[in-house]
Amino acid sequence: MRISDILRVKGDQVVTVRPEVSIERLLAVLAEHGIGAAVVSRDGSVVDGIVSERDVVRALAARGAAVLTEPVSAIATAQVRTVEPEAQLEDVERLMTERRFRHVPVVVDGVLRGVVSIGDVVKNRIGELEDERSNLAGYITGERV
Ligand code: AMP
């Protein structure tokens, strides 16, 4: 399965925040959309960074509540790993596991086209494994499933 197959179902909406937005505002955005990370972008299209709840937790633990008024750019990750829609789901799964992050923006020619989260990966992998299991069961029992 390719990443484009996932985006076709889940859509291409990506929640972005500008770098100067406060961390307090970021938390409101994450809560409002029920998501764990936002892409940092000045124009809503080019990826300037990514910021996740984990970055906020880390900053709060290190510097206390004063960080809430700091800009998102103070805690965001600037070197973002992105993938193209043609990427295979398994490769993104491996990337997330090896690099220990749960979000990967999808980019075409430098333009943001979607985001895949670990939740999307798990959901689709379970679907794939379920299909495989039922095909194998059909093969063994001789029944068409
Ligand atoms: P996450 O597991 O996605 O909440 O993120 C864990 C850490 O990795 C945080 O410091 C994020 O800013 C960073 N991060 C998340 N996604 C990416 C990505 N695609 N490329 C680089 N860093 C990322």
Side-chain angles (χ1 to χ4, degrees), residues 16-32:
T16 64
V17 290
R18 293 174 59 86
E20 67 272 17
V21 156
S22 73
I23 293 168
E24 192 166 23
R25 175 73 195 131
L26 166 73
L27 288 176
V29 170
L30 296 180
E32 185 186 322

Side-chain angles (χ1 to χ4, degrees), residues 14 16-18 39-48 111-112:
V14 186
T16 64
V17 290
R18 293 174 59 86
V39 170
V40 180
S41 176
R42 279 167 292 179
D43 62 3
S45 171
V46 172
V47 177
D48 296 313
V111 174
L112 194 52

Side-chain angles (χ1 to χ4, degrees), residues 50 52 54-55 58 77 79-81 101-105:
I50 190 161
S52 90
R54 230 167 242 190
D55 298 309
R58 208 179 288 139
T77 302
Q79 296 290 320
V80 184
R81 285 298 305 261
F101 43 60
R102 298 166 293 176
H103 303 88
V104 179

Side-chain angles (χ1 to χ4, degrees), residues 10-111:
K10 86 170 261 203
D12 58 2
Q13 305 89 339
V14 186
V15 175
T16 64
V17 290
R18 293 174 59 86
E20 67 272 17
V21 156
S22 73
I23 293 168
E24 192 166 23
R25 175 73 195 131
L26 166 73
L27 288 176
V29 170
L30 296 180
E32 185 186 322
H33 293 275
I35 54 174
V39 170
V40 180
S41 176
R42 279 167 292 179
D43 62 3
S45 171
V46 172
V47 177
D48 296 313
I50 190 161
V51 63
S52 90
E53 54 203 357
R54 230 167 242 190
D55 298 309
V56 180
V57 168
R58 208 179 288 139
L60 278 171
R63 310 204 292 279
V67 295
L68 293 175
T69 55
E70 288 184 22
V72 150
S73 57
I75 61 165
T77 302
Q79 296 290 320
V80 184
R81 285 298 305 261
T82 62
V83 291
E84 296 192 337
E86 293 72 34
Q88 292 288 341
L89 175 62
E90 282 160 74
D91 294 331
V92 176
E93 187 182 337
R94 197 172 306 115
L95 178 68
M96 286 177 166
T97 307
E98 284 169 2
R99 305 296 292 266
R100 290 174 174 268
F101 43 60
R102 298 166 293 176
H103 303 88
V104 179
V106 184
V107 167
V108 178
D109 295 331
V111 174

Side-chain angles (χ1 to χ4, degrees), residues 97-133:
T97 307
E98 284 169 2
R99 305 296 292 266
R100 290 174 174 268
F101 43 60
R102 298 166 293 176
H103 303 88
V104 179
V106 184
V107 167
V108 178
D109 295 331
V111 174
L112 194 52
R113 284 292 164 80
V115 71
V116 176
S117 75
I118 193 104
D120 302 321
V121 171
V122 169
K123 181 175 163 215
N124 285 277
R125 282 294 277 161
I126 287 173
E128 275 186 349
L129 291 170
E130 194 49 48
D131 289 348
E132 200 175 296
R133 191 205 61 78

